[in-house]
Amino acid sequence: MTQKTVLITGAARGIGLATARLMLERGWQVAMLDRDSDELAVAARDLNGAAPFVCDVSIAAQVDATVPAILDRFGRLDALVNNAGVAEFGPIEQCDFSMWRRVMETNLDGVFLVSQASIPALKDTRGAIVNIASISGLRASTLRVAYGTSKAAVIQLTRQQAAELGEYGIRANCVCPGPVRTKLAMAVHSQEIIDAYHDAIPLNRYGSEQEIAEVIAFLCSDQASYVTGQIIASDGGFESTGVGLPALRG
């Protein structure tokens, strides 16, 4: 009951799975939460010290049933990583309310619901919340009216959590990944898109899932014990350059 435990949502693949593996390597117990039961079972199969929990974070009743089950299994909760998210892109005039709600339900409502359910346990351990937003929450881009707005809201929610939960010793921080070399991104990004991103990013490359996981793990750890309310863009410098970098390079 003394080994630290982290709950990671959206843990069946991508950044969530990379974070689960890294936290296990660093001696944490891991509750892996995802709504894709088949993919989650495969992901958790060979991860000793991890336990899968099937849950849709956008459904309050499922969240309210799952968080107590995690506490029953592990006995404590020291960190929460709100990573679950969906992405639907399209022109602003083609974003109808049903698309808007699908994105908000997972990306924003899910962060709120899991955080609220976890606060009592995090108060007991003076734990940490790490919300995963996106570079799209910091800078506008075409085709992302719902996605970008949801991630900007997660950034503000993080600040609210830091402001209000600090008195309990709970820290809340937000990680905003830039372009990451995931299987999905590489499947849908043309060479032209890849080249454009490389040109706009000072480090001239995509990030890796492992690199994002390292930032998340740090914010969960005691090494970040005086870090709260921070928005960290893990993006190769993409957000910091603003407009015009490619032309200036030329």
Side-chain angles (χ1 to χ4, degrees):
M1 299 285 276
T2 60
Q3 188 176 7
K4 288 190 173 183
T5 300
V6 59
L7 162 57
I8 303 172
T9 71
R13 58 177 64 79
I15 292 169
L17 179 54
T19 303
R21 288 172 174 155
L22 182 59
M23 297 299 277
L24 286 168
E25 290 174 6
R26 297 189 178 179
W28 290 61
Q29 300 179 119
V30 179
M32 301 175 65
L33 190 153
D34 206 286
R35 66 184 180 187
D36 187 337
S37 58
D38 293 339
E39 193 74 14
L40 181 61
V42 171
R45 184 180 300 155
D46 299 320
L47 297 182
N48 186 35
F53 295 85
V54 179
C55 175
D56 186 331
V57 298
S58 71
I59 301 175
Q62 290 191 23
V63 172
D64 289 342
T66 302
V67 171
I70 290 169
L71 293 172
D72 285 344
R73 169 67 173 80
F74 291 111
R76 60 186 293 162
L77 183 62
D78 300 85
L80 164 63
V81 179
N82 282 306
N83 171 72
V86 298
E88 292 192 44
F89 300 148
I92 191 169
E93 69 271 18
Q94 294 179 16
C95 176
D96 58 19
F97 188 62
S98 61
M99 173 182 169
W100 175 271
R101 284 307 310 151
R102 284 195 301 272
V103 173
M104 294 296 170
E105 283 170 356
T106 296
N107 293 6
L108 180 57
D109 298 351
V111 175
F112 172 78
L113 290 170
V114 180
S115 296
Q116 293 296 100
S118 301
I119 286 172
L122 292 172
K123 286 171 67 175
D124 289 340
T125 59
R126 301 176 69 85
I129 298 172
V130 182
N131 298 322
I132 312 306
S134 168
I135 197 69
S136 294
L138 292 170
R139 58 188 297 178
S141 178
T142 55
L143 311 181
R144 303 183 183 197
V145 62
Y147 181 78
T149 303
S150 74
K151 295 301 188 178
V154 168
I155 290 170
Q156 179 61 24
L157 175 57
T158 303
R159 292 185 172 120
Q160 286 293 145
Q161 291 171 334
E164 298 194 43
L165 299 177
E167 64 180 291
Y168 306 117
I170 297 174
R171 298 179 296 106
N173 294 287
C174 185
V175 177
C176 296
V180 177
R181 184 172 286 276
T182 63
K183 290 181 179 178
L184 177 60
M186 293 303 97
V188 300
H189 286 190
S190 66
Q191 190 60 49
E192 182 181 10
I193 292 173
I194 293 171
D195 291 343
Y197 270 129
H198 283 195
D199 196 27
I201 297 170
L203 290 185
N204 197 36
R205 64 176 176 84
Y206 283 58
S208 70
E209 295 165 351
Q210 178 70 20
E211 287 175 310
I212 309 302
E214 292 280 357
V215 178
I216 296 168
F218 165 71
L219 292 172
C220 290
S221 74
D222 290 339
Q223 284 69 41
S225 58
Y226 201 52
V227 180
T228 193
Q230 300 306 300
I231 314 304
I232 300 177
S234 184
D235 66 349
F238 187 35
E239 194 269 337
S240 67
T241 57
V243 178
L245 180 64
L248 290 173
R249 279 181 176 171

